């Protein structure tokens, strides 16, 4: 099936080698993978002048099994691979050698046993993490059953290693280097693990080890190298519950790939952790306008920038340092955001929502502008396409291999000498209006 936007008569010629052409891989709740390509319009759209790209979606020739929970792109065994995790507990590894032609060849596939992944009962399991790294394909469900699969040659097949981490997870992600992974969840605080050491332990080590009530134990599990502490009590001196919904690594350098982590929770707070400076947040951001708490966090295109989305239609960019107000907001959304993926090489952000639209967004500053300290205004929708089903995961295909789908796609960290450029940022409220203030004249007494 082929879906086309306006200007259908102009064929799109996507290229994986074009660094400035937005090209995306989208997965949806129907179990379909779609290649979304774009073409810059020669003339602005008459109905919406902000639209700059015509988008097309082509359904790839992959068997639709069940809803797709997670998609990841990366390099393993010197191959660029796409990993797809389905709701029935199966996982497919696909080759991208003929992706532009609309084909994804299956390299490997496996299914979890009913004991490790329950897909048919009243409360089915859900994949909360999937990454493709040089070390292997890392995945986990919400019950903390983690699998690392290494692909071999055609004769050897794949080898898998498993380990158990605490239950009630809501997000697990590997660091950009692949040497570590982190997770968080309901009454499960942010924790950082060494990938190699975690799979050397026995499967019963974590399940038999019981920390104190509500995870207050200070003893680390085998393979665990760092665990965050609870934040301070609220104004009523009550303990704030731990309910992490999403996390994102903030650096992709080899030396600091696992030290900088940002998390969002159901209380509408975003905490920034530096594992080298202690177990308390290095910075926090919270806004009462967040509806239903923070649903997704994603590293932004610029340094110190983080994208956050709530359970409604709010989508903001915040400064991870001292800013209290959002840097700017993204306008034009009419449904809850289900997936975010930033593409630093193109300067655009791909967003999927419950209204079944894929949107291409830009930031207030033009991609070609060198004035990165001028962030006044709002981000806008520059491309929009109806895709018949809500996107559950999005991958930018123009990024370097090793980047992750949706929730963990990192940009290069700024050098220490470049941080002074951020001190002159002007804070802009997300609901700020550009209307001129009106003055009321007093009536003179008779």
């Amino acid at each position: 099936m082929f879906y086309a936007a306006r200007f259908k008569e102009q064929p799109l010629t996507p290229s994986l080698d074009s660094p400035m052409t937005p090209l995306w891989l989208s997965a949806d709740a129907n179990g379909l993978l779609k290649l979304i390509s774009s073409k810059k319009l020669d003339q602005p759209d008459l109905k919406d002048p902000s639209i700059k790209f015509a988008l097309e979606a082509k359904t790839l020739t992959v068997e639709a099994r069940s809803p797709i929970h997670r998609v990841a792109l990366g390099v393993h065994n010197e191959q660029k691979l796409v990993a797809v995790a389905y709701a029935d507990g199966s996982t497919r590894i696909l080759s991208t050698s003929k992706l532009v032609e609309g084909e994804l060849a299956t390299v490997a596939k496996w299914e979890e046993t009913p004991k490790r992944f329950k897909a048919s009962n009243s409360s089915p399991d859900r994949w909360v993490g999937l990454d493709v790294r040089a070390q292997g394909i890392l995945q986990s469900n919400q019950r903390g059953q983690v699998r690392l699969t290494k692909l071999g040659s055609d004769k050897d097949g794949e080898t898998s290693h498993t380990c158990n981490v605490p239950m009630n997870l809501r997000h697990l992600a590997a660091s950009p280097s692949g040497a570590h992974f982190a997770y968080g969840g309901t009454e499960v605080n942010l924790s950082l693990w060494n990938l190699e050491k975690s799979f050397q332990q026995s499967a019963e080590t974590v399940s038999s080890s019981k920390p104190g009530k509500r995870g207050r134990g200070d003893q680390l599990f085998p393979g665990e190298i760092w665990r965050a502490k609870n934040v301070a009590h609220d104004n009523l001196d009550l303990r704030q519950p731990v309910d992490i919904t999403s996390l994102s690594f903030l650096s992709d350098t080899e030396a600091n790939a696992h030290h900088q982590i940002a998390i969002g929770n159901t209380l509408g707070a975003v905490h920034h952790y530096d594992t080298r400076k202690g177990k308390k947040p290095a910075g926090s951001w919270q806004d009462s306008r967040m509806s239903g708490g923070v649903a997704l966090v994603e590293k932004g295109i610029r340094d110190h920038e983080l994208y956050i989305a709530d359970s409604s239609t709010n989508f903001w960019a915040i400064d991870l340092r001292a800013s209290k107000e959002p840097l700017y907001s993204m306008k034009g959304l009419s449904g809850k955001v289900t997936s975010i993926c930033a593409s630093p090489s193109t300067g655009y952000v791909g967003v999927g929502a419950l209204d079944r639209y894929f949107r291409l967004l830009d930031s207030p500053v033009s991609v070609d502008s060198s004035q990165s300290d001028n962030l006044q205004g709002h981000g806008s929708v520059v491309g929009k396409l109806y895709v018949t089903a809500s996107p559950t995961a999005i991958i930018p295909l123009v990024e370097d291999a090793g980047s992750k789908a949706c929730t963990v796609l990192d940009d290069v960290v700024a050098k220490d000498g470049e941080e002074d450029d951020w001190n002159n940022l002007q804070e802009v409220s997300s609901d700020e209006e550009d209307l001129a203030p009106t003055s009321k004249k007093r009536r003179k007494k008779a």
Side-chain angles (χ1 to χ4, degrees):
M1 187 176 293
F2 187 81
Y3 306 94
R6 199 178 292 113
F7 302 92
K8 179 180 177 181
E9 66 275 11
Q10 300 179 3
L12 304 186
T13 56
S15 173
L16 289 175
D17 300 326
S18 177
M20 291 304 295
T21 301
L23 185 64
W24 310 81
L25 182 65
S26 173
D28 60 30
N30 291 339
L32 299 177
L33 290 173
K34 299 175 182 178
L35 181 65
I36 300 179
S37 53
S38 61
K39 180 181 178 64
K40 195 164 186 178
L41 301 178
D42 297 331
Q43 297 178 354
D45 193 302
L46 298 178
K47 293 184 178 180
D48 189 353
S50 65
I51 299 297
K52 302 178 182 178
F53 290 90
L55 304 180
E56 286 185 358
K58 182 178 181 181
T59 302
L60 302 178
T61 56
V62 179
E63 179 185 0
R65 302 175 56 91
S66 62
I68 297 176
H69 287 174
R70 296 275 170 172
V71 176
L73 171 70
V75 170
H76 181 62
N77 281 354
E78 298 181 353
Q79 299 182 64
K80 184 179 288 187
L81 303 174
V82 173
V84 185
Y86 294 88
D88 60 358
S90 62
T91 304
R92 283 176 176 264
I93 309 300
L94 310 171
S95 173
T96 62
S97 58
K98 297 183 179 180
L99 178 59
V100 176
E101 301 175 7
E103 299 181 8
L104 285 173
T106 300
V107 177
K109 60 181 179 179
W110 58 84
E111 292 188 10
E112 297 289 341
T113 61
K115 183 178 180 180
R116 289 187 56 86
F117 194 95
K118 300 177 181 179
S120 59
N121 59 359
S122 58
S123 57
D125 289 342
R126 181 173 182 83
W127 294 112
V128 297
L130 179 66
D131 289 282
V132 179
R133 296 290 186 267
Q135 294 83 350
I137 294 91
L138 181 70
Q139 58 188 138
S140 173
N141 60 9
Q142 88 282 2
R143 291 191 289 125
Q145 296 178 329
V146 187
R147 173 188 291 272
L148 179 67
T149 305
K150 300 180 180 180
L151 303 182
S153 60
D154 296 337
K155 298 181 179 180
D156 298 336
E158 63 270 358
T159 58
S160 297
H161 307 274
T162 60
C163 73
N164 292 341
V165 299
M167 298 177 63
N168 299 324
L169 301 184
R170 302 191 68 172
H171 194 188
L172 181 144
S175 64
S177 65
H180 303 83
F181 67 88
Y183 61 75
T186 303
E187 293 302 335
V188 179
N189 228 325
L190 178 64
S191 179
L192 185 67
W193 289 56
N194 181 283
L195 182 68
E196 181 179 358
K197 294 182 179 179
S198 62
F199 289 96
Q200 293 177 352
Q201 55 160 327
S202 62
E204 293 80 11
T205 303
V206 174
S207 58
S208 61
S209 302
K210 296 182 179 180
K213 293 183 179 180
R214 294 177 177 173
R216 289 178 290 182
D218 295 330
Q219 183 180 1
L220 298 179
F221 296 124
E224 187 179 19
I225 61 177
W226 180 89
R227 186 192 304 164
K229 288 186 176 180
N230 289 354
V231 297
H233 290 190
D234 59 16
N235 296 332
L236 299 177
D237 199 23
L238 299 177
R239 173 187 176 273
Q240 300 189 48
V242 178
D243 199 352
I244 298 174
T245 56
S246 180
L247 65 91
S248 177
F249 286 91
L250 304 177
S251 172
D252 60 358
T253 59
E254 290 294 333
N256 302 318
H258 62 284
H259 290 308
Q260 304 284 338
I261 309 174
I263 63 101
N265 60 29
T266 55
L267 298 178
V270 176
H271 299 303
H272 168 218
Y273 290 91
D274 189 337
T275 60
R276 299 164 296 183
K277 298 182 179 180
K279 299 183 178 182
K280 293 288 186 178
S284 298
W285 183 93
Q286 189 167 8
D287 198 298
S288 59
R289 291 169 292 182
M290 299 295 293
S291 177
V294 178
L296 293 172
V297 297
E298 169 70 16
K299 188 185 184 305
I301 295 175
R302 302 178 183 86
D303 303 316
H304 306 291
E305 189 177 67
L306 186 73
Y307 296 134
I308 60 173
D310 64 2
S311 298
S312 181
T313 60
N314 293 320
F315 184 15
W316 293 336
I318 66 171
D319 190 347
L320 288 172
R321 296 168 300 177
S323 178
K324 296 182 180 179
E325 290 290 336
L327 291 175
Y328 56 89
S329 63
M330 296 291 190
K331 296 297 183 181
L333 302 178
S334 57
K336 177 186 175 181
V337 175
T338 58
S339 53
I340 304 172
C341 210
S343 175
S345 61
T346 63
Y348 296 100
V349 183
V351 175
L354 284 180
D355 60 358
R356 302 180 182 181
Y357 272 94
F358 171 86
R359 291 176 175 87
L360 194 62
L361 307 177
D362 67 351
S363 58
V365 180
S366 172
V367 178
D368 300 328
S369 175
S370 60
Q371 298 179 356
S372 59
D373 57 343
N374 182 14
L375 298 179
Q376 297 183 9
H378 300 285
S380 59
V381 178
V382 296
K384 184 178 180 181
L385 181 66
Y386 184 75
V387 290
T388 72
S390 300
T392 57
I394 301 172
I395 302 175
L397 296 177
V398 294
E399 297 303 322
D400 292 334
S403 59
K404 182 185 178 297
C406 255
T407 51
V408 183
L409 180 65
D410 304 319
D411 193 7
V412 179
V413 175
K415 299 178 181 179
D416 295 336
E418 298 176 351
E419 295 186 356
D420 294 335
D421 296 336
W422 286 79
N423 296 330
N424 297 324
L425 284 180
Q426 181 176 354
E427 298 177 359
V428 179
S429 176
S430 62
D431 58 352
E432 181 180 356
E433 298 181 351
D434 295 329
L435 299 177
T438 58
S439 59
K440 296 183 179 180
K441 296 182 179 180
R442 293 186 178 180
R443 297 181 59 184
K444 296 181 178 180
K445 294 182 179 180

